[in-house]
Amino acid sequence: MEHLSSKRKLTIMIAIMAAMLFAAVNQTIVSTAMPRIISILDGMDYYTWTINIYMLTSTIATVLVGKLSDMFGRKPFLLVGILTFMVGAFLTGTSDNVFQFITYRGIQGIGAGIIQSTAFTAVGDLFPPRERGKWMGLLTAVFGFSSVLGPTLGGYLVDHLDWHWLFWIFLPLGVLAFVLIVALFPKVKRGESISIDYAGSLFLTTTIVPLLLAFSWAGTDYAWGSWQILSLLGGALVSALVFILVERYARNPILPLSLFKNRVVTVSNLIGFIMNFGMMGALIYLSFFVQGVLGISATYAGYVTMPMSIVMVVASAVTGQMISRKGKYKRFALIGIPIMIAGMGIMVVMNNTSTAVLSMIVFGLGLGIGMPVFSIASQNAVSHKELGVVTASLQLFRNLGGTIGIAVMGTVMSNNLAQHLKEALTAKAGVLAKLDPAVAKSFLPFANPKTLMNKPELDKFENSLSADIKPIFLDVVKSIRQALGDTLSSVFLTGTLVLVVAFVLVFFLKELPLRTTNQTAAKTEETEDTAAKPSVALD
């Protein structure tokens, strides 16, 4: 499709960005409202499933559709993805109980995974690697914009409208995106019939599902050494071994193993995994600091993290333009990741709102500069007919890194928090001993970070205390906040060290000249003939 006129390409990109915005904003708009929605549906015991099901289905759809879109083109999958997401969103809004909600969120996840996989790959169809940077930067900016708009709008809507409208309000945008793709995206030419790797798809799925579930539940629902977690990890390992065996002999593998002989692809995937491991594992606990340590209400907590998204939007757009203009990408990773490390380093020592905002600005700047690099590098390192599968593999490793990082950081937090809380409460033992045992016992629930983050409940309890007890309670809460702050410093420090590993790996990323056409396959010293069997034309 790179032969199309610039005007036609622009209109197609507008359609793709509309589809991306539709999926992204529908994901972020529910982030602040989800606890209240699940509480209304009386399903707090199943809260984690409302998040896990979306993660599972979107991850599986992303990696499977990558290869299929290489075979059959992007347009049908973009349309199916938008339609599936719309159906899932509409049904989610009709949920009467948490089980319906979880099922319909799973359908939404399938649509989101398809859209995410095909949208980034479609950019590669439209533009050669030399020109992709600016468009990749704009797609990344769409995600950043949705993370600014979504939580704020979601919080407002759930306060002023019925929660069902959170899932329905952007359906017209989905209709618009669907119509634009139908009208503007070129038709796909079908070539010779190609077999689909059903066995590989099955065993890839049975590898991903138990692996993600194991790391989602480990340390929270079940102990790391429990039979449930060990069984899931064992099942994932067995499925992975069978998957590798199947892929070695498949005529048209869903995830070609030969792809990983390409050092650029392998290093990019590893960096993506490690970056998301450190980044997601640490950032997920930022709300604990803002609400639990600083005592800022959930309504205003989003304003502390908002600068990161705004700076990321600008930085990713500018970086994309510079990559396209200069034809170099490695330098931006070498600049961006150290800035991310600096931002997370500030999180280690932050103790007030100003330093929290500063850390967000610095981290967002580094994220915007560094993140677009690895998609461009991977796509540039393979032939055009492998564009979808290489993009999907990068997204797969990022998702795995984020999920595993959240689990590991959660364990770091739990272990350190128990020790710090013990020290804090021991230091206040003398004061608590002077209180009525029933009153002292009533203080203990606030040693739980989630209770501490519930500012309305905290204020209500504080106001219920007598004038002579209230100062003692506030002093105990201050000690608990300090214990939580010390614990989170350990979490952020772990994330910082993980990002340092990602930075070291950047030096092993070989920079290949960005091609100016999609017609010439990338050839590198590390690449053998990377799975050249699929031969269906994409445009």
Side-chain angles (χ1 to χ4, degrees):
M1 293 193 293
E2 62 177 331
H3 64 280
L4 299 174
S5 66
S6 297
K7 183 177 180 180
R8 181 75 183 278
K9 289 181 180 180
L10 178 60
T11 56
I12 295 172
M13 281 303 303
I14 291 174
I16 292 172
M17 285 191 285
M20 286 283 289
L21 179 62
F22 171 61
V25 78
N26 271 280
Q27 182 177 351
T28 59
I29 198 173
V30 300
S31 59
T32 53
M34 189 70 83
R36 188 182 303 184
I37 294 171
I38 302 306
S39 178
I40 292 172
L41 294 175
D42 194 25
M44 288 307 291
D45 290 342
Y46 302 95
Y47 181 77
T48 56
W49 267 108
T50 65
I51 300 170
N52 291 340
I53 193 66
Y54 190 96
M55 172 193 66
L56 285 171
T57 55
S58 62
T59 300
I60 293 168
T62 295
V63 69
L64 295 183
V65 167
K67 178 65 175 183
L68 294 175
S69 70
D70 281 338
M71 296 164 58
F72 304 109
R74 322 299 174 199
K75 184 173 183 176
F77 291 99
L78 272 172
L79 294 176
V80 169
I82 295 171
L83 187 60
T84 303
F85 196 94
M86 288 175 62
V87 170
F90 176 78
L91 290 175
T92 303
T94 66
S95 300
D96 294 321
N97 57 65
V98 72
F99 301 107
Q100 290 181 354
F101 189 90
I102 291 170
T103 301
Y104 300 147
R105 282 288 287 171
I107 296 174
Q108 266 194 291
I110 294 172
I114 296 173
I115 293 171
Q116 183 178 352
S117 179
T118 49
F120 277 98
T121 309
V123 177
D125 290 336
L126 288 167
F127 304 98
R130 181 65 184 262
E131 298 180 35
R132 281 177 207 160
K134 55 186 176 183
W135 297 105
M136 289 287 189
L138 288 175
L139 282 184
T140 303
V142 169
F143 272 108
F145 175 72
S146 69
S147 65
V148 173
L149 174 66
T152 305
L153 183 60
Y156 176 82
L157 291 177
V158 80
D159 285 338
H160 296 86
L161 294 175
D162 191 273
W163 68 265
H164 302 83
W165 285 100
L166 269 72
F167 298 94
W168 296 341
I169 193 167
F170 281 105
L171 286 177
L173 179 59
V175 174
L176 174 63
F178 188 90
V179 171
L180 288 174
I181 295 295
V182 170
L184 301 176
F185 212 91
K187 293 183 178 180
V188 179
K189 295 180 181 179
R190 293 289 299 274
E192 64 183 45
S193 178
I194 295 179
S195 61
I196 297 176
D197 182 15
Y198 293 108
S201 301
L202 173 63
F203 286 106
L204 181 59
T205 300
T206 55
T207 298
I208 293 173
V209 170
L211 183 65
L212 291 180
L213 286 178
F215 282 101
S216 297
W217 290 340
T220 52
D221 296 273
Y222 304 102
W224 280 91
S226 66
W227 69 266
Q228 292 93 340
I229 300 302
L230 294 179
S231 297
L232 287 170
L233 292 176
L237 178 60
V238 171
S239 290
L241 293 174
V242 176
F243 170 73
I244 292 172
L245 184 64
V246 169
E247 295 302 273
R248 288 185 63 184
Y249 297 101
R251 289 181 55 199
N252 192 28
I254 194 75
L255 186 61
L257 301 180
S258 55
L259 195 69
F260 299 98
K261 294 179 182 179
N262 186 317
R263 198 176 79 183
V264 174
V265 173
T266 300
V267 171
S268 294
N269 283 338
L270 284 174
I271 293 173
F273 177 90
I274 295 172
M275 280 182 66
N276 271 37
F277 184 106
M279 179 179 69
M280 294 300 296
L283 290 184
I284 197 73
Y285 294 104
L286 190 66
S287 61
F288 281 78
F289 179 84
V290 176
Q291 297 178 56
V293 178
L294 297 182
I296 297 174
S297 68
T299 305
Y300 297 102
Y303 294 114
V304 177
T305 57
M306 189 180 292
M308 181 187 76
S309 300
I310 295 173
V311 172
M312 187 191 76
V313 167
V314 177
S316 60
V318 172
T319 299
Q321 295 286 340
M322 294 179 69
I323 290 175
S324 293
R325 187 166 62 249
K326 296 180 178 297
K328 301 287 186 180
Y329 54 81
K330 185 174 180 178
R331 65 185 64 175
F332 295 100
L334 291 172
I335 295 172
I337 296 180
I339 295 176
M340 290 175 66
I341 293 171
M344 196 162 285
I346 297 174
M347 295 179 202
V348 176
V349 299
M350 63 184 175
N351 55 12
N352 54 52
T353 306
S354 299
T355 52
V357 171
L358 176 63
S359 71
M360 289 290 93
I361 293 173
V362 175
F363 192 87
L365 177 62
L367 186 62
I369 295 173
M371 281 298 279
V373 168
F374 306 104
S375 296
I376 296 170
S378 295
Q379 289 187 355
N380 182 61
V382 300
S383 62
H384 184 252
K385 58 192 168 188
E386 294 178 311
L387 206 57
V389 72
V390 76
T391 304
S393 72
L394 184 63
Q395 291 170 344
L396 171 63
F397 276 84
R398 284 176 176 174
N399 288 347
L400 290 175
T403 302
I404 295 173
I406 290 171
V408 172
M409 297 298 184
T411 301
V412 172
M413 179 173 171
S414 298
N415 293 339
N416 282 275
L417 183 60
Q419 179 63 32
H420 287 130
L421 281 177
K422 182 180 179 181
E423 294 173 357
L425 294 176
T426 300
K428 298 297 177 182
V431 176
L432 293 174
K434 297 177 182 179
L435 298 176
D436 180 272
V439 174
K441 187 177 180 180
S442 68
F443 287 8
L444 294 180
F446 295 97
N448 184 326
K450 291 185 178 180
T451 308
L452 195 64
M453 290 169 63
N454 191 334
K455 197 171 189 302
E457 184 177 336
L458 184 67
D459 292 341
K460 181 180 178 181
F461 182 81
E462 179 186 335
N463 293 330
S464 69
L465 297 174
S466 60
D468 58 326
I469 299 295
K470 187 180 294 186
I472 299 174
F473 173 70
L474 293 177
D475 186 49
V476 171
V477 167
K478 182 180 179 181
S479 297
I480 294 174
R481 289 191 192 280
Q482 182 62 48
L484 179 59
D486 293 340
T487 299
L488 291 172
S489 292
S490 301
V491 174
F492 297 136
L493 178 60
T494 304
T496 303
L497 296 176
V498 171
L499 287 179
V500 170
V501 176
F503 176 64
V504 172
L505 283 175
V506 173
F507 290 96
F508 295 91
L509 179 67
K510 183 175 182 179
E511 185 166 39
L512 304 175
L514 290 177
R515 289 179 281 123
T516 57
T517 176
N518 282 336
Q519 303 306 314
T520 303
K523 296 179 181 179
T524 71
E525 296 174 1
E526 301 85 358
T527 311
E528 296 181 2
D529 182 21
T530 52
K533 292 180 182 178
S535 58
V536 176
L538 293 173
D539 46 71

